[in-house]
Amino acid sequence: MDRPSTAHVYERAGFGRPVVRGARPAVVVVDFTYGFTDPQYPTAVDMTAPVLATARLLDAARAAGAPVVFTTISYDAAQVAALAWLRKAPGMAALQVGSRLVEIDQRLSPRPDEHLLTKTGASAFFGTALAGHLASVGADTVIVTGATTSGCVRATAVDAVQHGYPVLVPNVCVGDRARAPHDASLFDINEKYGDVVGLDDVLAYLEALRPDPPEPEQLSTTTSQAEARA
């Protein structure tokens, strides 16, 4: 007897339905710092393609008035000595407070009025005020980009939907150190936690939310009563 395909198994179980997009999306850029995007560091790989794709997305989000949040992951000396995660993944201890590795990649042109939060776990929600910030800006959908797909991006997508947000993950705006975990995580996110979509889809979504430009003032061609009396 042939085994059913993966797609059939998930379809039969009721996974993979599309999310309902809101009118006030926020973009959460997860850990696109030099410690993940600059391959001179052992913790990083070349993330040029997803970084530049995210830069395009951010241009569209800013034009639409969508809130943007950046995250960085960094540790002080006490955390390096104590955190269980850093015993499992000791290479992450290089992401130390004040180092270049924890700075946002400047190709994304972060703005002073865009929220930057520091985290020490995988999810952007864990131990941070992200949920409160998203509520305060009235977000009703979360677009997740960043690194790594199988780690902090996936964890953030899971927590976002658990906080009640529809989730979109543009597939070219996330990156990982290896292809297999990247692909597996995108499949998992798309089936269970959010929609993995193309960049053009998200750009069109944001374009549709752009405020209409104000109409130019019309000069009156009629004579006012004061002018008529004069």
Side-chain angles (χ1 to χ4, degrees), residues 32-34 36-39 45-56 58-59 62 70 100 104-110:
F32 264 164
T33 60
Y34 292 117
F36 290 90
T37 67
D38 187 341
V45 294
D46 184 5
M47 295 265 184
T48 296
V51 167
L52 295 182
T54 296
R56 288 185 61 199
L58 291 177
D59 286 343
R62 289 159 178 155
F70 290 92
R100 182 175 181 269
I104 302 298
D105 192 314
Q106 288 300 302
R107 290 174 292 182
L108 299 174
S109 302

Side-chain angles (χ1 to χ4, degrees), residues 80-104:
V80 168
L83 289 180
W85 192 18
L86 299 185
R87 296 190 182 98
K88 179 66 178 178
M92 298 285 286
L95 304 175
Q96 295 188 22
V97 173
S99 69
R100 182 175 181 269
L101 285 80
V102 304
E103 296 176 6
I104 302 298

Side-chain angles (χ1 to χ4, degrees), residues 14-168:
F15 290 107
R17 304 301 187 263
V19 305
V20 177
R21 303 178 185 186
R24 177 67 167 163
V27 181
V28 178
V29 183
V30 179
D31 297 350
F32 264 164
T33 60
Y34 292 117
F36 290 90
T37 67
D38 187 341
Q40 72 171 295
Y41 302 117
T43 51
V45 294
D46 184 5
M47 295 265 184
T48 296
V51 167
L52 295 182
T54 296
R56 288 185 61 199
L57 186 151
L58 291 177
D59 286 343
R62 289 159 178 155
V68 174
V69 178
F70 290 92
T71 81
T72 181
I73 184 166
S74 65
Y75 302 101
D76 61 29
Q79 291 169 321
V80 168
L83 289 180
W85 192 18
L86 299 185
R87 296 190 182 98
K88 179 66 178 178
M92 298 285 286
L95 304 175
Q96 295 188 22
V97 173
S99 69
R100 182 175 181 269
L101 285 80
V102 304
E103 296 176 6
I104 302 298
D105 192 314
Q106 288 300 302
R107 290 174 292 182
L108 299 174
S109 302
R111 298 181 176 182
D113 62 347
E114 292 171 340
H115 187 44
L116 171 65
L117 65 85
T118 300
K119 62 189 184 69
T120 58
S123 170
F125 289 88
F126 180 78
T128 75
L130 179 57
H133 178 73
L134 293 176
S136 69
V137 297
D140 59 12
T141 304
V142 175
I143 301 169
V144 182
T145 78
T148 60
T149 316
S150 61
C152 299
V153 168
R154 182 185 178 280
T156 298
V158 172
D159 274 0
V161 74
Q162 291 180 149
H163 278 83
Y165 292 103
V167 177
L168 300 177

Side-chain angles (χ1 to χ4, degrees), residues 1-5:
M1 182 177 177
D2 293 336
R3 296 184 64 182
S5 68

